[in-house]
Amino acid sequence: MKKFILADCNNFYVSCERVFNPLLEKKPVVVLSNNDGCIVSRSDEAKKLGIPMGAPLYQQKDVVEKNKVYVFSSNYQFYGDMSDRVMESLEMFAPKLEIYSIDEAFIKTNTISFDDIFKDVVNIRKKIIKWTGIPMSFGIAPTKTLSKIANHIAKKRTYEGVFDISENNVANDIMRNLPVEELWGISNKWGKKLRHLGVSTALELKNSNAKFIRKHTSVLLERMVYELRGMPCLDIESISPKKNIMSSKSFGTSIAEIEPILEALSSYAARACEKLRKQNSKAGGIYVFIRTNPFHQNKPQYKNGHALNFDLPTSDSRVILYAARRLMRGLYRKGYKYHKCGIMLLDLVPDNYKQAHFFSTNDSEDQNNFMKTVDRINNYMGPQTLFYLSQGISKEWKMKCENRSNRYTTKWSELLEVN
């Protein structure tokens, strides 16, 4: 019988911080969002203190200080690299896994030779912890939806960190007390609609009339009914290239002058171009935008954006940065304090796409070779070993990250030191 496994890293950002700082084990730890705003990851010890997910840090200040909670700024370079290590480790056991998010992946057992699936998954978990230091939970089930439920049980109620929900009686006992809003993909809005139809638990949804559910909701929830019954409707998906790529962040502080904004935009554009080349694509155009802080209603408000199409698709950072900065100069208006800007790469095509242009004088092969050389050096020596001067040096626009740990695995100057 084919089965699905959901592999999920436990409290991923916190777990990453603990890998290189063992003193954090058994201690309450939280990781913050961009600009040190909200809590986006919590250790189990922090959860027991009642610190809610997504809460602004300032609202939890008393709890944090009283209980000596360790607070870290987000360290996305580090977390991204640790995620790559975990996923590459999983691929050694399951070459065709579906990477669902930075800390989750689906595996289908017909791609692996499992004799005793539970025992084998427990061994995989032990090896991942040994190789990467990241604890994981594994949910085993006949469908992806059920594997999500199994993973939740594995994380909360098991010692081994692995749970198999394949037995029908076991699944029914768990779903009997599981609110529909806690099912994968069901929002509070859909939950209210289902409750209005007399369906309030996962078991009630499983036992409902699938055609009736489709008629009053959507085909997606009809599929979920079948998934809960152990009938797979969702298969492992291959990673498709993105159709658009967005790069945008809020500034660390409000900015009135154009030069820091241009620096920030150049950095965001350079990062977007790296992602573009990584998925072997070129952009047919760009969209650039700028805005003030919509939450500061007592201050003058302004937002604007503009798009530009290239004569030929490109992945050359130099071309895209120049065009983006030119657009921003047209969007910028004096007299405002800006909160955010960004760029979206549009109309992406494969990098082997060829289209002649009578007036084009660009030597695309030289452009490609230059950008590959830059990417190769930055991949080997660390991000932004080579960067464009237009990205700035002092970077006064940079996000707040007062409590960021070292980028232990991606920056030579921040390697762990042992005395």
Side-chain angles (χ1 to χ4, degrees), residues 345-361:
L345 306 183
L346 307 171
D347 303 327
L348 307 191
V349 297
D351 62 0
N352 58 4
Y353 174 86
K354 300 288 185 182
Q355 179 176 336
H357 191 287
F358 185 77
F359 297 102
S360 175
T361 57

Side-chain angles (χ1 to χ4, degrees), residues 31-40 54-59 73-74 400:
V31 177
L32 306 178
S33 62
N34 292 345
N35 283 319
D36 292 348
C38 299
I39 295 165
V40 294
L57 178 63
Y58 75 88
Q59 291 182 357
S73 304
S74 51
K400 293 177 183 176

Side-chain angles (χ1 to χ4, degrees), residues 144-211:
K144 290 172 81 172
T145 301
L146 286 172
S147 73
K148 271 278 191 178
I149 298 174
N151 185 274
H152 181 76
I153 301 298
K155 189 172 294 187
K156 301 293 183 181
R157 305 185 197 174
T158 68
Y159 173 77
E160 299 92 347
V162 180
F163 187 77
D164 190 338
I165 200 175
S166 300
E167 292 295 329
N168 193 49
N169 291 337
V170 174
N172 287 345
D173 286 342
I174 293 169
M175 289 191 284
R176 186 171 286 111
N177 299 311
L178 184 68
V180 287
E181 292 87 355
E182 293 187 20
L183 288 172
W184 178 38
I186 294 188
S187 62
N188 288 333
K189 180 181 177 181
W190 280 117
K192 288 180 181 178
K193 189 153 192 177
L194 286 170
R195 288 178 181 275
H196 182 71
L197 296 173
V199 177
S200 58
T201 68
L203 185 60
E204 290 173 348
L205 182 59
K206 172 186 176 181
N207 294 331
S208 62
N209 184 303
K211 300 300 180 185

Side-chain angles (χ1 to χ4, degrees), residues 259-409:
E259 286 305 323
I261 295 172
L262 291 173
E263 287 184 4
L265 180 64
S266 294
S267 289
Y268 304 157
R271 179 65 184 130
C273 290
E274 290 173 359
K275 294 179 181 179
L276 182 71
R277 293 189 293 272
K278 189 173 183 179
Q279 71 169 36
N280 300 316
S281 296
K282 292 182 178 181
I286 60 173
Y287 174 79
V288 172
F289 69 89
I290 188 171
R291 76 179 192 204
T292 53
N293 193 332
F295 297 104
H296 293 174
Q297 294 293 337
N298 58 328
K299 296 182 180 179
Q301 296 291 312
Y302 172 76
K303 64 178 181 179
N304 205 350
H306 203 276
L308 178 147
N309 292 322
F310 298 121
D311 290 335
L312 292 174
T314 182
S315 61
D316 191 321
S317 296
R318 297 165 296 179
V319 174
I320 292 173
L321 263 66
Y322 176 81
R325 288 168 64 89
R326 190 176 66 181
L327 284 179
M328 182 57 71
R329 291 186 184 279
L331 295 172
Y332 173 80
R333 299 289 183 273
K334 282 189 176 182
Y336 297 95
K337 289 197 171 181
Y338 294 99
H339 172 68
K340 188 175 187 178
C341 76
I343 181 172
M344 181 181 290
L345 306 183
L346 307 171
D347 303 327
L348 307 191
V349 297
D351 62 0
N352 58 4
Y353 174 86
K354 300 288 185 182
Q355 179 176 336
H357 191 287
F358 185 77
F359 297 102
S360 175
T361 57
N362 292 337
D363 187 345
S364 60
E365 193 61 35
D366 285 347
Q367 289 179 340
N368 292 338
N369 289 337
F370 175 78
M371 296 315 307
K372 286 179 182 177
T373 301
V374 171
D375 290 340
R376 194 180 303 117
I377 292 172
N378 284 336
N379 287 335
Y380 181 74
M381 298 300 295
Q384 294 195 20
T385 299
L386 293 180
F387 64 94
Y388 299 93
L389 189 58
S390 64
Q391 295 176 240
I393 303 295
S394 61
K395 300 184 179 180
E396 63 180 87
W397 47 268
K398 206 166 185 180
M399 290 190 307
K400 293 177 183 176
C401 51
E402 297 173 357
N403 299 298
R404 193 194 69 199
S405 56
N406 285 355
R407 291 162 287 188
Y408 299 105
T409 63

